[in-house]
Amino acid sequence: PRETSKRIPRSLIVVDTAPTGHTLRLLELPAKAREWVRVLLSVIMKYRELVGLGKLTEDLLALAHDLRDFQGILEDRERTQLVAVTRAAALPRAGTLRLLRGLERLGVACETIVVNGATPRGCSRCTRAASREERELRSLESALRRARRENAILVAPAVAPPPRGVKMLRSFGRTWKRS
């Protein structure tokens, strides 16, 4: 792992998540699980004379600490960044804006949006599709401005076959354009 200027080891973990609703529920899980653990601990404390504290209490306390630490990592903008990946179409745009609102509510940073699979201009059909996608991209940019968000937007072209391996991925990454 590389080290940052603060000498904190830095690693990169990529998680290709499910659609917006599932991703938000996944990111909400640590806080919800901590609440469940608190409720269980309060029940144990209420009946501790009957059941004792035991190993379960110890495990629940350890779990609560781990969940708190994990939630702290999610909310630490220096350590955690989510990159939203979308398409240049109305429905994915709406889902992306919903995701950004949810991430803000959860305190999870998302500074970059990748618009994937952009149609290159070429034949008349491709040019029409690319024009539609450019209008959608402008709509996304406009919605972000209205929400006072300053996300970087990267546009990745559609390629077939998809790149495989580090060398091809690096080459593909050089084809991305900033919107």
Side-chain angles (χ1 to χ4, degrees):
R2 290 186 319 222
E3 293 198 8
T4 67
S5 60
K6 296 178 186 178
R7 298 286 176 212
I8 299 172
R10 180 177 179 172
S11 59
L12 175 66
I13 300 171
V14 176
V15 180
D16 184 3
T17 64
T20 298
H22 297 288
T23 299
L24 290 173
R25 281 192 286 282
L26 175 69
L27 294 172
E28 291 167 347
L29 187 58
K32 289 184 188 283
R34 280 180 66 201
E35 183 57 35
W36 298 333
V37 169
R38 279 190 216 117
V39 169
L40 285 170
L41 285 170
S42 69
V43 170
I44 288 171
M45 292 306 290
K46 182 176 179 179
Y47 297 104
R48 69 183 169 269
E49 291 180 14
L50 291 173
V51 296
L53 296 178
K55 177 88 170 94
L56 176 60
T57 304
E58 185 180 314
D59 290 344
L60 287 172
L61 286 170
L63 177 60
H65 290 287
D66 289 346
L67 289 167
R68 183 197 62 218
D69 292 347
F70 182 64
Q71 190 172 1
I73 291 169
L74 286 176
E75 295 170 359
D76 183 345
R77 299 180 80 80
E78 295 295 317
R79 296 175 68 188
T80 303
Q81 290 283 323
L82 188 137
V83 175
V85 179
T86 190
R87 298 294 294 244
L91 189 58
R93 175 176 35 90
T96 299
L97 294 169
R98 179 173 160 236
L99 175 66
L100 294 174
R101 286 189 302 271
L103 293 172
E104 191 170 314
R105 179 179 45 79
L106 293 169
V108 176
C110 179
E111 297 176 3
T112 305
I113 299 170
V114 174
V115 178
N116 198 18
T119 304
R121 291 186 176 273
C123 67
S124 60
R125 182 177 177 191
C126 292
T127 298
R128 283 192 306 273
S131 294
R132 276 193 308 273
E133 290 171 2
E134 288 166 7
R135 284 191 300 275
E136 286 297 336
L137 184 55
R138 287 193 299 276
S139 292
L140 174 62
E141 292 167 338
S142 177
L144 292 170
R145 278 192 303 278
R146 283 192 307 274
R148 293 182 169 84
R149 297 194 56 95
E150 296 183 16
N151 300 81
I153 299 176
L154 301 174
V155 180
V159 293
R164 294 183 188 269
V166 173
K167 185 177 178 182
M168 288 180 73
L169 285 169
R170 281 192 178 125
S171 178
F172 175 57
R174 287 190 288 275
T175 68
W176 296 17
K177 306 287 184 218
R178 192 171 180 115
S179 170

